[in-house]
Amino acid sequence: RDRSVSRGLGDVYKRQVLLQLAPVDPRSLMQGDYMRLNYKEANSELINRQKAKRGYAVLKLDKNHVGEIIRLQESLEPVNENEIVLKYKTINGRLFLGAESFFFEEGQDSVYNRAAYGGLRVDNKGQSLLVGLYDKDFRQIKPYRGKQ
């Protein structure tokens, strides 16, 4: 299902960013057929200086497309070269950057245990779509096919 969605994203969701996953309570990490995601960048200290409940997180991308929040702003611009903008909202002092859950086929949970990054495709308005999970070597994790 995800692959068919991501194939048609080229026109709208042009840029990709990888967000490092932060540890979560192992009891809530895997819940049925989905994984709760906690992005390291969602714990940015910048949140303490931001009064707006909604806005745009500006991320600088490294050579592997891993994003690091460098500022929060209330409008879509300004944005410099090698920066990407994600819409955010805050709830109880926590920054939400988009997809906070990753759904997978039944019986595939062990495949995704090695996830280190969430891969998001982002459009020019800061809307994002989770397109997959990636390992520590920046490779997209694919589900097992057939019997394990």
Side-chain angles (χ1 to χ4, degrees):
R1 185 172 73 183
D2 291 336
R3 284 180 292 143
S4 63
V5 171
S6 61
R7 266 186 244 147
L9 298 178
D11 296 338
V12 178
Y13 293 89
K14 295 183 185 230
R15 300 200 57 200
Q16 181 159 331
V17 60
L18 298 179
L19 294 179
Q20 187 173 2
L21 297 174
V24 295
D25 179 350
R27 292 167 296 175
S28 65
L29 179 63
M30 296 288 188
Q31 298 178 6
D33 297 329
Y34 78 96
M35 176 187 286
R36 190 174 127 230
L37 302 178
N38 183 27
Y39 300 112
K40 180 182 173 194
E41 290 303 310
N43 301 315
S44 172
E45 292 188 18
L46 295 173
I47 192 69
N48 298 329
R49 293 180 261 166
Q50 187 68 16
K51 290 184 173 63
K53 296 286 183 197
R54 295 180 184 273
Y56 298 90
V58 180
L59 296 93
K60 184 175 183 181
L61 302 181
D62 70 10
K63 65 179 180 167
N64 295 307
H65 295 273
V66 175
E68 175 187 358
I69 295 177
I70 55 174
R71 69 182 178 277
L72 300 175
Q73 57 193 39
E74 293 185 39
S75 61
L76 193 55
E77 296 179 344
V79 181
N80 299 314
E81 192 174 325
N82 201 35
E83 292 178 348
I84 196 165
V85 177
L86 283 177
K87 278 188 173 184
Y88 78 83
K89 65 181 176 181
T90 60
I91 300 173
N92 297 327
R94 184 166 181 265
L95 199 64
F96 287 84
L97 297 169
E100 310 293 328
S101 298
F102 179 75
F103 293 86
F104 49 84
E105 293 177 30
E106 184 177 343
Q108 297 285 325
D109 53 326
S110 63
V111 177
Y112 296 103
N113 282 338
R114 67 183 197 277
Y117 300 93
L120 302 174
R121 285 280 189 183
V122 183
D123 71 7
N124 61 1
K125 293 184 172 127
Q127 300 276 39
S128 63
L129 182 65
L130 180 67
V131 294
L133 297 181
Y134 292 72
D135 66 17
K136 65 180 177 49
D137 297 317
F138 315 107
R139 290 188 302 251
Q140 187 169 12
I141 299 170
K142 302 287 187 184
Y144 290 131
R145 295 287 174 221
K147 294 190 177 195
Q148 298 182 32

